[in-house]
Structure formats: C-alpha cells, structure tokens
Amino acid sequence: MRFAGCLRCRPITALVALVLIAFTASTQLKAVEAPQLVQKDGRYALMVEGRPYLMLGGQIHNSSGWPSELGQVWDSMAALHANTVEAPVYWEQMEARQGQFDFSNVDAIVDGARAHHLHVVLLWFGTWKNGNNHYAPEWVKADTKKFPRTIRPDGEPIDVLSPIGKSTLEADKMAFTMLMKHLKGIDGEQHTVLMVQVENESGNIGSVRDNSPEANKLFAGPVPEEMLKATGKQAGTWSQVFGADADELFQAYHQAKYINEIAAAGKSEFNIPCYINVWIDYPAAQLAQRQLEQPGIAYPSGGAVQKLVGLWRKLAPSIDMIGPDIYADVPLFYRNTIQAYHRPDNPLWIPETGRADSFGKFFYLALGEGALGFSPFGVDQSGWNILGDQPWKAHGENFALFAPMARTTAALQFEGKVKTAIEEPGKETQEIDFGGWQATVAFGFPQGDGRLAPGTKDAHGTVLVAQIGPDEFLVTGQDVSVAFHLPGKLPWIHSEVVRAEQGVYENDAWKPLRLWNGDETDRGLCFYQKPEVVHIKMGRF
C-alpha cells in the first residue's frame, strides 16, 4: 500500500514540476533587460528593453514628489504626452531619522508611473540641490561639527555642505545606496526606472570654495596626481598650478570625487545609468537675478559648467553622462550649450529646460544633435509655480507628434540619419545636406513663387528630416516648406517626387493615410500649424 501510494503521487509530482518549470520560464520571459547607454561610431542611445528609447520627459515641481500631489502629476503627464516623468526623491523625507528609511514616496512614484504607462527618472536631492543643502535631513543640518558647512573667505558659514566633510559623504552615500538597493528590489525586473540623477545642480552658492581650516590646508598643499593628469599640469600647489582659477577647480575636484563615490556605491547595488545635471554658466547679459558672472554667484561653483565638462568626465567616471539645464531661449546660446555637452565622451540629454512655448523649437534642435531626451521643467499643476502662468502648449504638441514614433526616431538618431533645423531671425531659409540629396527648408507662409520665405512672427518654425532609405525620407515640422533637390541643382531639375505618403505611426509602425501630390508637393512639402508626418521617395532622371 505504501508503494502503491507513492505511485499514485508520481503524476501529481510530475505535474507540479511542469508547472514550476513553466512558471520559471514565464518569469524569465517577463524580466526586462536593464536600461543601458551604448555608443556606436561616436553616437549614443539609451537602450530600453533592448531598443533605442527617446525620453519625452516632464520634470515635476520640487515639492510634487509626494503621494498627495501625484494625482495631478499623472494628469499633467498625459496632457504633455510624455513617456517619462522626472520626479524628486528627498533625503530629508527618506531618512528623517538616521538609519531609518522610508521609501513610501518612491514606491508611490514607481507604482503610479507603471499604472499610467510611464517610465521614471528619479532625482536624488541629497547633499546638493541648486547649490545649497536644503534637502539634507534635520539631523545633518543640526550637527555642523560632524557635517561641516562651507565657509566663506570672511569666515562666515553658509547653507552649503562641504565636499571635504567625510561624515557627510558617508551619510549621503549610505542613503543613496539604500535607495538603489530598494529600487533593485521593487524594479529589478520591470525597469520602470530608467536612470537616477545624483544630486541636483551641485556646487556652492555663496562661496567659490570651502575656506575652512581643513580645506585651506588642502588648498595650500600639492595638487593631487589625479587632478594633474586630468588637466595636463605640472606639480605644485593649487594656486601655483591654476592661478586665478584655483579656487573653482579645487571645489570642482573635491565635488566630482564626492559625487563619483556616491554614484559608484549606488551602482554596485543596482547598475542602471546615473547622471548629473548642471546649472550652467550664462553670459552676463542673460543673468536675470545674479548680475556677477562669477562662480558661486552666477552659478554653483564646482559644477560641470561648459568649460568643465571634460574635467568632470575624467574625475567622475561612475557618472554616465552630464546634462545641462537650459533656461535661455536664445538660439545661438542654446545651440552652443548643447554642443558643449554633446561630446564623444558624453551623451546629450536635456534634463531641464524652460516650459514656455518659446522653448518648444529647441526640442528639434536637440534631436538634431542626437539628444537621448528632452524635458521641460514644471509641467505639473501644483497650484504654485515659480514660472508664473507660462503655458507649455508647444511642448505638448511636439510630444504628441513624436510619442507614436519615439522609438523610430531614437533608432534613426542612433544611426546618424536625423537632421533638423529651427527658424532664427535672418535665417528664414536653410539647407539640410544628406550628401546625395539636399533639402531646402523655408519658414513661414505664404510663400509665393519667386518670393523669399517670410518667416513667422515669433520665429517658431521647425523641421525634422530623417533618411530612411537611399532616396527616401521621413519629414515633419511646423510652419515650414521642404523641397528636395540634387546637389547644385534646383528642385525638379533631374529629380522628382516619386511618392509622398502622409501617415501616422502606431506603436512605431507606419500607417499611410493618403498621398500628397499637386498643390501639396509642387512647391515642396508644406507643414502648417498642425504638424503632419510624410514619407517621401525621390527619383532621379
């Protein structure tokens, strides 16, 4: 009987084994590949689920990362047509008591994003936020001996934690590591969280560097070998080696090493991309509040401003990229800034930019430079807004157009197939060159025969052209005409439109709607205020 009973159990045991095998296989199939940055031929892509991903981001207000605010956040992301939300994590909330961690805010953000089919970029507000220590826990702020403040040259302490403070570094590192460990536990398979920002606009506001006795002793001593190697300098004290720039470079060195150590520790727990954002250096004429173009006043001293991007890349290798926060809607400055950060050793990502409609066209500029993503700041209805009543209609229209073809755009960018142009005063007509084909873009309407393009009143015109085949292109834009031609030839000389297909993307699959011909193509493809998408095939004869 005992033997027979065991025989009867065997089918059940086999069935259980099969179920377990099926469950294990199913679980493995559901696991999502971790996001990662990849480089090819000098170009970068953020790979999500194994494919290039374009972040259509919306960064919420500083105090909107609380469960009580998230309802309006999700509504705002839907209105923006975003696919990624940037949300803060507050050290003061997460570790209100030393060693006791509360991840309820983080869980609410991640769970809510999943429910609304969004990805997440988390922003760690730790030692630094906008050049101050305002998000450090009370127990850090209260113990200035253990967690030293930055000291001004006149001996006065300011509300900035010093990067020289080893206890501060260890406390921030512990908190960040616990955050990353928690993220691995809740998101290690789904990967809703794409990246984590380490600190926020780090540096000193109020002093170029720390002038405490400990810092002064280090400043009077020899420059570390790592810094000499990074800058190509010979040995000496900081003042001897760097002269008038010594104070800022001293701060940058210690700050970069501090943040690099935090990032390295966090990634050892959960290896997803980590980046920093930067309060950039603006020309004096564009400084709205701080009129002195000086580190510590015009921008947080020690940060990876335009002139220091290369140094930071060498000193902080655990940081995967450095992104500029751009709040000046001046085309030349915007272009120069993104080109300063779009480097062979640094992917381009715009983690913050102005939400006003005047910034809308810079989305196209960023795409043309290979940006992995673009994120206006303050695009949620918090009831309080430092930006006033600025609308963000242009960003919503851009994202609505690109959301269905975001993966397609990212893949074309990674292949180097995307070129863009934006309207600028005095540049109402521009050329886009694809080698075998060129495209004349002309902004504004009406465009009568033989007349120059009039431009638009506020110079908001945009265009994106991507090569999808030897003679085929994807084209979209706003208030612009696009006429393809052979190099050195006018349109229609030895060339013609073979097919112009207006359509839409549905889940990155092209769905044609109608053909354009006659008036819709004879003077180029014309895109008015309502953007359309066209696949065009050109022919030679």
Side-chain angles (χ1 to χ4, degrees):
M1 293 295 294
R2 184 177 180 184
F3 182 70
C6 290
L7 284 175
R8 286 196 298 270
C9 290
R10 284 182 182 180
I12 298 174
T13 303
L15 178 62
V16 170
L18 288 172
V19 170
L20 287 174
I21 291 170
F23 176 80
T24 302
S26 174
T27 302
Q28 290 173 346
L29 288 173
K30 289 181 180 179
V32 175
E33 185 177 336
Q36 61 176 324
L37 293 168
V38 296
Q39 184 181 19
K40 180 179 68 176
D41 300 328
R43 297 182 297 273
Y44 287 89
L46 174 64
M47 306 298 283
V48 176
E49 299 177 18
R51 296 187 295 151
Y53 182 86
L54 176 63
M55 290 179 284
L56 306 176
Q59 183 168 155
I60 63 178
H61 287 92
N62 293 169
S63 298
S64 294
W66 294 86
S68 62
E69 292 295 312
L70 291 180
Q72 60 86 12
V73 164
W74 309 133
D75 291 343
S76 299
M77 292 303 109
L80 183 63
H81 301 279
N83 62 17
T84 306
V85 60
E86 288 183 60
V89 178
Y90 317 113
W91 188 10
E92 62 177 350
Q93 176 273 328
M94 199 186 82
E95 193 183 8
R97 294 186 177 183
Q98 188 171 10
Q100 299 180 23
F101 296 94
D102 175 5
F103 298 107
S104 57
N105 280 25
V106 174
D107 293 345
I109 291 167
V110 174
D111 290 343
R114 285 175 184 159
H116 292 85
H117 309 291
L118 293 166
H119 279 291
V120 177
V121 173
L122 290 176
L123 318 176
W124 174 239
F125 287 5
T127 296
W128 288 284
K129 166 65 172 75
N130 294 13
N132 297 108
N133 66 356
H134 296 167
Y135 283 85
E138 290 185 26
W139 52 268
V140 171
K141 294 177 181 177
D143 193 344
T144 57
K145 184 176 181 180
K146 186 175 182 179
F147 307 107
R149 303 297 181 92
T150 291
I151 305 299
R152 299 193 317 184
D154 62 3
E156 294 293 336
I158 56 176
D159 58 345
V160 183
L161 293 165
S162 172
I164 306 299
K166 290 183 174 55
S167 295
T168 313
L169 169 61
E170 291 304 316
D172 191 326
K173 184 168 63 173
M174 172 59 74
F176 186 74
T177 301
M178 293 300 291
L179 169 63
M180 297 297 277
K181 184 176 182 179
H182 180 75
L183 289 178
K184 183 177 182 178
I186 66 168
D187 200 41
E189 292 189 351
Q190 291 182 258
H191 291 293
T192 301
V193 179
L194 301 180
M195 303 190 299
V196 179
Q197 177 183 291
V198 188
E199 314 298 342
N200 183 279
E201 295 185 343
S202 65
N204 292 344
I205 285 293
S207 182
V208 182
R209 68 169 176 89
D210 183 13
N211 294 269
S212 66
E214 182 181 359
N216 286 341
K217 183 178 179 180
L218 291 171
F219 186 76
V223 175
E225 184 63 32
E226 184 179 9
M227 184 67 169
L228 294 174
K229 183 179 179 181
T231 55
K233 299 290 187 178
Q234 298 299 313
T237 67
W238 286 88
S239 294
Q240 289 169 344
V241 175
F242 297 113
D245 296 324
D247 286 342
E248 183 178 8
L249 291 175
F250 177 85
Q251 173 69 24
Y253 171 79
H254 288 284
Q255 190 171 310
K257 298 295 290 178
Y258 184 109
I259 291 176
N260 184 70
E261 189 169 333
I262 291 172
K267 290 169 72 173
S268 70
E269 289 289 344
F270 191 33
N271 190 16
I272 60 173
C274 288
Y275 75 96
I276 62 168
N277 67 328
V278 184
W279 178 336
I280 58 176
D281 183 10
Y282 293 91
Q286 296 178 21
L287 295 174
Q289 296 178 346
R290 298 172 171 88
Q291 298 301 314
L292 292 177
E293 193 175 358
Q294 177 181 325
I297 299 177
Y299 58 87
S301 179
V305 293
Q306 295 92 314
K307 64 184 179 183
L308 297 181
V309 182
L311 178 63
W312 265 82
R313 295 304 292 137
K314 295 174 182 176
L315 296 176
S318 293
I319 294 295
D320 295 291
M321 60 181 173
I322 301 172
D325 297 347
I326 313 177
Y327 287 96
D329 57 356
V330 179
L332 180 60
F333 177 78
Y334 212 105
R335 179 180 290 107
N336 289 342
T337 300
I338 62 177
Q339 288 175 350
Y341 289 87
H342 183 200
R343 298 163 46 98
D345 61 356
N346 192 63
L348 179 63
W349 149 238
I350 313 298
E352 289 185 38
T353 196
R355 79 172 197 173
D357 285 347
S358 59
F359 287 86
K361 66 182 181 182
F362 298 121
F363 171 67
Y364 283 79
L365 188 65
L367 291 182
E369 281 287 330
L372 307 182
F374 188 87
S375 183
F377 170 76
V379 284
D380 67 291
Q381 310 305 312
S382 66
W384 176 90
N385 196 332
I386 194 173
L387 303 174
D389 295 325
Q390 290 178 346
W392 35 272
K393 178 182 177 182
H395 293 302
E397 290 176 346
N398 287 340
F399 287 6
L401 175 66
F402 278 86
M405 58 180 187
R407 293 281 194 170
T408 298
T409 304
L412 289 167
Q413 283 181 303
F414 194 37
E415 295 299 323
K417 302 295 186 182
V418 172
K419 295 182 183 291
T420 63
I422 64 170
E423 183 183 355
E424 300 177 50
K427 295 183 179 179
E428 289 79 14
T429 301
Q430 301 175 36
E431 288 289 321
I432 296 179
D433 187 3
F434 285 93
W437 288 99
Q438 290 182 299
T440 300
V441 301
F443 296 105
F445 294 100
Q447 296 181 13
D449 292 340
R451 297 180 184 178
L452 297 175
T456 62
K457 291 182 180 180
D458 56 357
H460 67 258
T462 56
V463 67
L464 177 143
V465 183
Q467 190 163 21
I468 56 178
D471 303 311
E472 297 181 55
F473 301 88
L474 178 154
V475 190
T476 190
Q478 186 174 18
D479 284 327
V480 65
S481 70
V482 183
F484 288 88
H485 61 92
L486 297 173
K489 304 289 185 181
L490 293 172
W492 320 120
I493 302 298
H494 291 289
S495 67
E496 62 186 348
V497 175
V498 175
R499 186 179 182 88
E501 200 173 68
Q502 179 199 333
V504 295
Y505 278 90
E506 292 183 355
N507 298 319
D508 285 284
W510 177 247
K511 179 182 179 181
L513 298 176
R514 62 171 176 163
L515 296 181
W516 280 14
N517 214 324
D519 290 344
E520 282 72 43
T521 59
D522 288 350
R523 294 168 178 81
L525 306 176
C526 294
F527 299 89
Y528 295 98
Q529 290 185 349
K530 180 184 178 183
E532 307 286 359
V533 183
V534 172
H535 278 196
I536 185 170
K537 182 177 181 180
M538 297 298 299
R540 299 173 175 85
F541 60 84

